[in-house]
Amino acid sequence: ILGSYLSNGLIVYTQPRVFGTAILVSLLVAFSCIINDYYDVLTDSYGKPDRPIPSGLITERMAIILAVLIVLTIMMLSIALGNETTILSIGCLVLGFAYSYRLKATLLIGNGTIALLNAAVPVFGGLASGGINESVWMASALTFFMS
């Protein structure tokens, strides 16, 4: 919503695209969290046994099925929101998966990946409002460096 506001002012609160994009970003975060928990199940079983997978609340198979359903929803929603949003969504899905699968174990690359994913949020908002301007890029850059 911040990226949309920076792009187009207060009018964003009346645009359904902004709310659709906010849902899309929420689903991207949910996907990343599920995949992260899936790959951390062994570590979490010792350090955070109350999490859904180690506690047995959901199985690893159920987590993968949920992740796939979320990816399908993300793709349908992002296609409805336009080509640029679809490309950015695919990039975030790939980075979210890569972080949990391998990049988390690296020092700077993993941190940079998370910073890049966080910095994408205002860009999504700018795309929802029809354009990415200097204010959106500044918010994105600040988010990157603060992450």
Side-chain angles (χ1 to χ4, degrees), residues 1 4 7 14 16 25 37 42 47 50 66-67 79-80 94 101 107 112 114 127-128 132 140:
I1 292 175
S4 293
S7 175
T14 62
V25 170
D37 284 355
L42 183 59
D50 293 336
L66 182 58
I79 288 168
V94 169
Y101 182 66
L107 181 57
I114 293 301
L127 290 173
I132 303 171
S140 182

Side-chain angles (χ1 to χ4, degrees), residues 1 3-5 7-22 81 124-131:
I1 292 175
S4 293
Y5 172 75
S7 175
N8 212 4
L10 289 176
I11 195 168
V12 302
Y13 299 108
T14 62
Q15 294 178 352
R17 289 179 54 84
V18 174
F19 294 104
T21 302
L81 291 168
F124 273 107
L127 290 173
S129 290

Side-chain angles (χ1 to χ4, degrees), residues 37-137:
D37 284 355
Y38 176 82
Y39 281 108
D40 281 352
V41 69
L42 183 59
T43 305
D44 287 348
S45 66
Y46 297 111
K48 299 173 186 174
D50 293 336
R51 287 205 168 167
I53 299 173
S55 70
L57 185 62
I58 65 170
T59 65
E60 290 179 50
R61 184 174 188 270
M62 287 170 50
I64 291 299
I65 290 170
L66 182 58
V68 168
L69 291 174
I70 289 174
V71 167
L72 293 173
T73 305
I74 287 168
M75 293 313 301
M76 287 187 297
L77 186 54
S78 67
I79 288 168
L81 291 168
N83 291 339
E84 291 131 338
T85 301
T86 302
I87 292 166
L88 186 56
S89 295
I90 291 169
C92 288
L93 285 169
V94 169
L95 284 177
F97 178 83
Y99 173 78
S100 296
Y101 182 66
R102 288 276 189 244
L103 299 178
K104 187 179 200 177
T106 64
L107 181 57
L108 294 177
I109 296 172
N111 294 355
T113 301
I114 293 301
L116 191 58
L117 287 168
N118 289 336
V121 174
V123 175
F124 273 107
L127 290 173
S129 290
I132 303 171
N133 59 20
E134 296 82 19
S135 296
V136 173
W137 284 123

